[in-house]
PDB file of all heavy atoms in Angstrom:
ATOM      1  N   SER W1125    -148.154  54.095  10.920  1.00 98.00           N
ATOM      2  CA  SER W1125    -149.623  53.985  10.857  1.00 98.00           C
ATOM      3  C   SER W1125    -150.094  52.768  11.626  1.00 98.00           C
ATOM      4  O   SER W1125    -149.714  51.625  11.336  1.00 98.00           O
ATOM      5  CB  SER W1125    -150.074  53.870   9.401  1.00 98.00           C
ATOM      6  OG  SER W1125    -151.476  53.667   9.316  1.00 98.00           O
ATOM      7  N   ASP W1130    -155.104  53.909  20.208  1.00 96.00           N
ATOM      8  CA  ASP W1130    -155.941  54.898  20.889  1.00 96.00           C
ATOM      9  C   ASP W1130    -155.255  56.234  20.943  1.00 96.00           C
ATOM     10  O   ASP W1130    -155.919  57.281  21.095  1.00 96.00           O
ATOM     11  CB  ASP W1130    -156.210  54.435  22.334  1.00 96.00           C
ATOM     12  CG  ASP W1130    -156.809  53.053  22.422  1.00 96.00           C
ATOM     13  OD1 ASP W1130    -157.955  52.893  22.002  1.00 96.00           O
ATOM     14  OD2 ASP W1130    -156.096  52.148  22.864  1.00 96.00           O
ATOM     15  N   LEU W1149    -122.321  79.912  30.032  1.00 98.00           N
ATOM     16  CA  LEU W1149    -123.729  79.636  30.390  1.00 98.00           C
ATOM     17  C   LEU W1149    -124.011  78.146  30.541  1.00 98.00           C
ATOM     18  O   LEU W1149    -124.739  77.554  29.780  1.00 98.00           O
ATOM     19  CB  LEU W1149    -124.658  80.226  29.295  1.00 98.00           C
ATOM     20  CG  LEU W1149    -124.714  81.756  29.213  1.00 98.00           C
ATOM     21  CD1 LEU W1149    -125.406  82.175  27.927  1.00 98.00           C
ATOM     22  CD2 LEU W1149    -125.440  82.330  30.421  1.00 98.00           C
ATOM     23  N   PHE W1155    -132.038  74.638  29.718  1.00 98.00           N
ATOM     24  CA  PHE W1155    -132.967  75.746  29.933  1.00 98.00           C
ATOM     25  C   PHE W1155    -133.810  75.970  28.697  1.00 98.00           C
ATOM     26  O   PHE W1155    -135.024  76.230  28.765  1.00 98.00           O
ATOM     27  CB  PHE W1155    -132.203  76.989  30.338  1.00 98.00           C
ATOM     28  CG  PHE W1155    -133.084  78.158  30.687  1.00 98.00           C
ATOM     29  CD1 PHE W1155    -134.238  77.980  31.461  1.00 98.00           C
ATOM     30  CD2 PHE W1155    -132.788  79.421  30.201  1.00 98.00           C
ATOM     31  CE1 PHE W1155    -135.045  79.070  31.767  1.00 98.00           C
ATOM     32  CE2 PHE W1155    -133.592  80.497  30.506  1.00 98.00           C
ATOM     33  CZ  PHE W1155    -134.728  80.326  31.294  1.00 98.00           C
ATOM     34  N   LEU W1156    -133.173  75.898  27.521  1.00 98.00           N
ATOM     35  CA  LEU W1156    -133.923  76.110  26.270  1.00 98.00           C
ATOM     36  C   LEU W1156    -135.000  75.040  26.126  1.00 98.00           C
ATOM     37  O   LEU W1156    -136.107  75.324  25.678  1.00 98.00           O
ATOM     38  CB  LEU W1156    -132.957  76.108  25.087  1.00 98.00           C
ATOM     39  CG  LEU W1156    -133.601  76.473  23.730  1.00 98.00           C
ATOM     40  CD1 LEU W1156    -132.667  77.299  22.886  1.00 98.00           C
ATOM     41  CD2 LEU W1156    -134.012  75.218  22.947  1.00 98.00           C
ATOM     42  N   PHE W1244    -126.401  59.426  42.264  1.00 96.00           N
ATOM     43  CA  PHE W1244    -126.228  59.194  40.797  1.00 96.00           C
ATOM     44  C   PHE W1244    -125.745  60.476  40.141  1.00 96.00           C
ATOM     45  O   PHE W1244    -124.772  60.467  39.408  1.00 96.00           O
ATOM     46  CB  PHE W1244    -127.554  58.734  40.186  1.00 96.00           C
ATOM     47  CG  PHE W1244    -127.491  58.695  38.668  1.00 96.00           C
ATOM     48  CD1 PHE W1244    -126.926  57.660  37.982  1.00 96.00           C
ATOM     49  CD2 PHE W1244    -127.971  59.797  37.901  1.00 96.00           C
ATOM     50  CE1 PHE W1244    -126.821  57.652  36.591  1.00 96.00           C
ATOM     51  CE2 PHE W1244    -127.900  59.800  36.540  1.00 96.00           C
ATOM     52  CZ  PHE W1244    -127.334  58.701  35.890  1.00 96.00           C
ATOM     53  N   PRO W1260    -115.638  69.161  26.261  1.00 96.00           N
ATOM     54  CA  PRO W1260    -116.940  69.639  26.700  1.00 96.00           C
ATOM     55  C   PRO W1260    -117.646  68.648  27.672  1.00 96.00           C
ATOM     56  O   PRO W1260    -118.616  69.030  28.329  1.00 96.00           O
ATOM     57  CB  PRO W1260    -117.760  69.817  25.451  1.00 96.00           C
ATOM     58  CG  PRO W1260    -117.046  69.028  24.397  1.00 96.00           C
ATOM     59  CD  PRO W1260    -115.618  69.038  24.782  1.00 96.00           C
ATOM     60  N   VAL W1304    -143.630  60.141  14.062  1.00 98.00           N
ATOM     61  CA  VAL W1304    -145.052  60.425  14.257  1.00 98.00           C
ATOM     62  C   VAL W1304    -145.830  59.089  14.123  1.00 98.00           C
ATOM     63  O   VAL W1304    -145.671  58.336  13.137  1.00 98.00           O
ATOM     64  CB  VAL W1304    -145.596  61.431  13.233  1.00 98.00           C
ATOM     65  CG1 VAL W1304    -147.098  61.641  13.410  1.00 98.00           C
ATOM     66  CG2 VAL W1304    -144.858  62.775  13.354  1.00 98.00           C
ATOM     67  N   ILE W1329    -126.651  72.834   8.792  1.00 97.00           N
ATOM     68  CA  ILE W1329    -125.521  72.810   9.696  1.00 97.00           C
ATOM     69  C   ILE W1329    -125.023  71.395   9.879  1.00 97.00           C
ATOM     70  O   ILE W1329    -125.722  70.409   9.572  1.00 97.00           O
ATOM     71  CB  ILE W1329    -125.864  73.405  11.076  1.00 97.00           C
ATOM     72  CG1 ILE W1329    -126.905  72.553  11.780  1.00 97.00           C
ATOM     73  CG2 ILE W1329    -126.332  74.852  10.949  1.00 97.00           C
ATOM     74  CD1 ILE W1329    -127.159  72.949  13.250  1.00 97.00           C
ATOM     75  N   LYS W1347    -107.334  56.184  41.331  1.00 98.00           N
ATOM     76  CA  LYS W1347    -108.361  55.702  42.288  1.00 98.00           C
ATOM     77  C   LYS W1347    -109.016  56.931  42.920  1.00 98.00           C
ATOM     78  O   LYS W1347    -108.320  57.795  43.442  1.00 98.00           O
ATOM     79  CB  LYS W1347    -107.764  54.808  43.338  1.00 98.00           C
ATOM     80  CG  LYS W1347    -108.801  54.306  44.338  1.00 98.00           C
ATOM     81  CD  LYS W1347    -108.173  53.546  45.502  1.00 98.00           C
ATOM     82  CE  LYS W1347    -107.726  52.151  45.113  1.00 98.00           C
ATOM     83  NZ  LYS W1347    -107.281  51.339  46.291  1.00 98.00           N
ATOM     84  N   LEU W1395    -117.873  34.198  42.293  1.00 97.00           N
ATOM     85  CA  LEU W1395    -116.680  34.094  43.118  1.00 97.00           C
ATOM     86  C   LEU W1395    -116.678  35.133  44.233  1.00 97.00           C
ATOM     87  O   LEU W1395    -116.328  34.814  45.373  1.00 97.00           O
ATOM     88  CB  LEU W1395    -115.423  34.210  42.241  1.00 97.00           C
ATOM     89  CG  LEU W1395    -114.109  34.123  42.972  1.00 97.00           C
ATOM     90  CD1 LEU W1395    -113.966  32.827  43.777  1.00 97.00           C
ATOM     91  CD2 LEU W1395    -112.916  34.276  41.992  1.00 97.00           C
ATOM     92  N   ASP W1434    -108.877  46.220  46.115  1.00 97.00           N
ATOM     93  CA  ASP W1434    -107.802  45.889  45.149  1.00 97.00           C
ATOM     94  C   ASP W1434    -107.861  44.434  44.693  1.00 97.00           C
ATOM     95  O   ASP W1434    -107.622  44.131  43.530  1.00 97.00           O
ATOM     96  CB  ASP W1434    -106.427  46.254  45.687  1.00 97.00           C
ATOM     97  CG  ASP W1434    -106.255  47.763  45.899  1.00 97.00           C
ATOM     98  OD1 ASP W1434    -107.040  48.516  45.319  1.00 97.00           O
ATOM     99  OD2 ASP W1434    -105.338  48.156  46.646  1.00 97.00           O
ATOM    100  N   LYS W1607    -157.415  26.323  49.903  1.00 93.00           N
ATOM    101  CA  LYS W1607    -155.967  26.551  49.884  1.00 93.00           C
ATOM    102  C   LYS W1607    -155.555  27.495  48.741  1.00 93.00           C
ATOM    103  O   LYS W1607    -154.489  28.101  48.805  1.00 93.00           O
ATOM    104  CB  LYS W1607    -155.200  25.249  49.702  1.00 93.00           C
ATOM    105  CG  LYS W1607    -155.291  24.315  50.929  1.00 93.00           C
ATOM    106  CD  LYS W1607    -154.642  22.975  50.662  1.00 93.00           C
ATOM    107  CE  LYS W1607    -153.145  23.054  50.564  1.00 93.00           C
ATOM    108  NZ  LYS W1607    -152.530  21.708  50.492  1.00 93.00           N
ATOM    109  N   MET W1664    -131.379  35.417  30.840  1.00 95.00           N
ATOM    110  CA  MET W1664    -130.636  35.507  29.600  1.00 95.00           C
ATOM    111  C   MET W1664    -131.402  34.876  28.454  1.00 95.00           C
ATOM    112  O   MET W1664    -131.115  35.111  27.271  1.00 95.00           O
ATOM    113  CB  MET W1664    -129.285  34.819  29.752  1.00 95.00           C
ATOM    114  CG  MET W1664    -128.293  35.482  30.720  1.00 95.00           C
ATOM    115  SD  MET W1664    -127.837  37.160  30.176  1.00 95.00           S
ATOM    116  CE  MET W1664    -128.947  38.180  31.133  1.00 95.00           C
ATOM    117  N   THR W1675    -148.646  43.726  50.603  1.00 90.00           N
ATOM    118  CA  THR W1675    -149.261  44.143  51.875  1.00 90.00           C
ATOM    119  C   THR W1675    -149.846  42.976  52.671  1.00 90.00           C
ATOM    120  O   THR W1675    -149.978  43.098  53.914  1.00 90.00           O
ATOM    121  CB  THR W1675    -150.417  45.137  51.567  1.00 90.00           C
ATOM    122  OG1 THR W1675    -151.320  44.524  50.634  1.00 90.00           O
ATOM    123  CG2 THR W1675    -149.879  46.419  50.985  1.00 90.00           C
ATOM    124  N   ALA W1699    -136.694  25.849  45.429  1.00 97.00           N
ATOM    125  CA  ALA W1699    -135.847  26.765  46.225  1.00 97.00           C
ATOM    126  C   ALA W1699    -136.617  27.316  47.409  1.00 97.00           C
ATOM    127  O   ALA W1699    -136.034  27.499  48.518  1.00 97.00           O
ATOM    128  CB  ALA W1699    -135.354  27.932  45.349  1.00 97.00           C
ATOM    129  N   THR W1798    -148.540  22.566  40.261  1.00 94.00           N
ATOM    130  CA  THR W1798    -147.107  22.579  40.600  1.00 94.00           C
ATOM    131  C   THR W1798    -146.841  23.451  41.828  1.00 94.00           C
ATOM    132  O   THR W1798    -146.134  23.081  42.752  1.00 94.00           O
ATOM    133  CB  THR W1798    -146.258  23.089  39.415  1.00 94.00           C
ATOM    134  OG1 THR W1798    -146.417  22.174  38.317  1.00 94.00           O
ATOM    135  CG2 THR W1798    -144.796  23.209  39.786  1.00 94.00           C
ATOM    136  N   VAL W1807    -154.237  24.094  55.068  1.00 89.00           N
ATOM    137  CA  VAL W1807    -155.323  25.052  54.876  1.00 89.00           C
ATOM    138  C   VAL W1807    -155.188  26.147  55.940  1.00 89.00           C
ATOM    139  O   VAL W1807    -155.100  25.876  57.132  1.00 89.00           O
ATOM    140  CB  VAL W1807    -156.688  24.386  55.015  1.00 89.00           C
ATOM    141  CG1 VAL W1807    -157.810  25.460  54.951  1.00 89.00           C
ATOM    142  CG2 VAL W1807    -156.875  23.337  53.906  1.00 89.00           C
ATOM    143  N   ARG W1824    -164.780  67.543  58.396  1.00 97.00           N
ATOM    144  CA  ARG W1824    -164.491  68.924  58.767  1.00 97.00           C
ATOM    145  C   ARG W1824    -163.387  69.049  59.808  1.00 97.00           C
ATOM    146  O   ARG W1824    -163.402  69.969  60.633  1.00 97.00           O
ATOM    147  CB  ARG W1824    -165.778  69.641  59.240  1.00 97.00           C
ATOM    148  CG  ARG W1824    -166.889  69.686  58.163  1.00 97.00           C
ATOM    149  CD  ARG W1824    -168.079  70.535  58.575  1.00 97.00           C
ATOM    150  NE  ARG W1824    -167.711  71.904  58.879  1.00 97.00           N
ATOM    151  CZ  ARG W1824    -167.424  72.879  58.020  1.00 97.00           C
ATOM    152  NH1 ARG W1824    -167.468  72.560  56.691  1.00 97.00           N
ATOM    153  NH2 ARG W1824    -167.124  74.087  58.386  1.00 97.00           N
ATOM    154  N   ALA W1832    -139.060  66.660  60.402  1.00 96.00           N
ATOM    155  CA  ALA W1832    -137.851  67.188  59.714  1.00 96.00           C
ATOM    156  C   ALA W1832    -137.420  66.141  58.697  1.00 96.00           C
ATOM    157  O   ALA W1832    -137.533  64.958  58.889  1.00 96.00           O
ATOM    158  CB  ALA W1832    -136.744  67.443  60.739  1.00 96.00           C
ATOM    159  N   ASN W1837    -128.940  67.391  55.177  1.00 94.00           N
ATOM    160  CA  ASN W1837    -128.341  68.253  54.156  1.00 94.00           C
ATOM    161  C   ASN W1837    -129.256  68.535  52.974  1.00 94.00           C
ATOM    162  O   ASN W1837    -128.894  69.270  52.065  1.00 94.00           O
ATOM    163  CB  ASN W1837    -127.048  67.608  53.654  1.00 94.00           C
ATOM    164  CG  ASN W1837    -126.016  67.447  54.747  1.00 94.00           C
ATOM    165  OD1 ASN W1837    -125.798  68.352  55.524  1.00 94.00           O
ATOM    166  ND2 ASN W1837    -125.391  66.268  54.783  1.00 94.00           N
ATOM    167  N   ILE W1851    -164.698  55.069  50.857  1.00 95.00           N
ATOM    168  CA  ILE W1851    -165.169  53.962  50.011  1.00 95.00           C
ATOM    169  C   ILE W1851    -165.974  54.528  48.843  1.00 95.00           C
ATOM    170  O   ILE W1851    -166.873  55.346  49.072  1.00 95.00           O
ATOM    171  CB  ILE W1851    -166.018  52.966  50.819  1.00 95.00           C
ATOM    172  CG1 ILE W1851    -165.167  52.365  51.932  1.00 95.00           C
ATOM    173  CG2 ILE W1851    -166.589  51.888  49.939  1.00 95.00           C
ATOM    174  CD1 ILE W1851    -165.966  51.544  52.969  1.00 95.00           C
ATOM    175  N   VAL W1859    -166.727  60.239  39.365  1.00 98.00           N
ATOM    176  CA  VAL W1859    -166.698  61.679  39.640  1.00 98.00           C
ATOM    177  C   VAL W1859    -165.264  62.099  40.094  1.00 98.00           C
ATOM    178  O   VAL W1859    -164.747  63.097  39.628  1.00 98.00           O
ATOM    179  CB  VAL W1859    -167.740  62.088  40.694  1.00 98.00           C
ATOM    180  CG1 VAL W1859    -167.624  63.578  41.021  1.00 98.00           C
ATOM    181  CG2 VAL W1859    -169.135  61.729  40.205  1.00 98.00           C
ATOM    182  N   GLU W1949    -158.690  52.862  26.856  1.00 95.00           N
ATOM    183  CA  GLU W1949    -157.460  52.674  26.081  1.00 95.00           C
ATOM    184  C   GLU W1949    -157.081  51.184  26.065  1.00 95.00           C
ATOM    185  O   GLU W1949    -157.056  50.515  27.108  1.00 95.00           O
ATOM    186  CB  GLU W1949    -156.334  53.488  26.652  1.00 95.00           C
ATOM    187  CG  GLU W1949    -155.086  53.511  25.800  1.00 95.00           C
ATOM    188  CD  GLU W1949    -154.020  54.453  26.366  1.00 95.00           C
ATOM    189  OE1 GLU W1949    -154.341  55.347  27.139  1.00 95.00           O
ATOM    190  OE2 GLU W1949    -152.842  54.235  26.030  1.00 95.00           O
ATOM    191  N   ASN W2033    -144.266  63.190  65.124  1.00 81.00           N
ATOM    192  CA  ASN W2033    -143.533  62.134  64.414  1.00 81.00           C
ATOM    193  C   ASN W2033    -143.465  60.824  65.208  1.00 81.00           C
ATOM    194  O   ASN W2033    -143.345  59.749  64.630  1.00 81.00           O
ATOM    195  CB  ASN W2033    -142.148  62.618  64.105  1.00 81.00           C
ATOM    196  CG  ASN W2033    -141.495  61.827  62.976  1.00 81.00           C
ATOM    197  OD1 ASN W2033    -142.196  61.319  62.122  1.00 81.00           O
ATOM    198  ND2 ASN W2033    -140.176  61.744  62.984  1.00 81.00           N
TER     199      ASN W2033
END
Side-chain angles (χ1 to χ4, degrees):
S1125 174
D1130 305 290
L1149 291 168
F1155 183 44
L1156 186 142
F1244 170 82
V1304 177
I1329 65 172
K1347 180 186 285 188
L1395 179 57
D1434 293 342
K1607 292 174 69 172
M1664 293 297 97
T1675 54
T1798 296
V1807 174
R1824 299 186 58 76
N1837 298 315
I1851 298 171
V1859 177
E1949 189 176 338
N2033 200 27

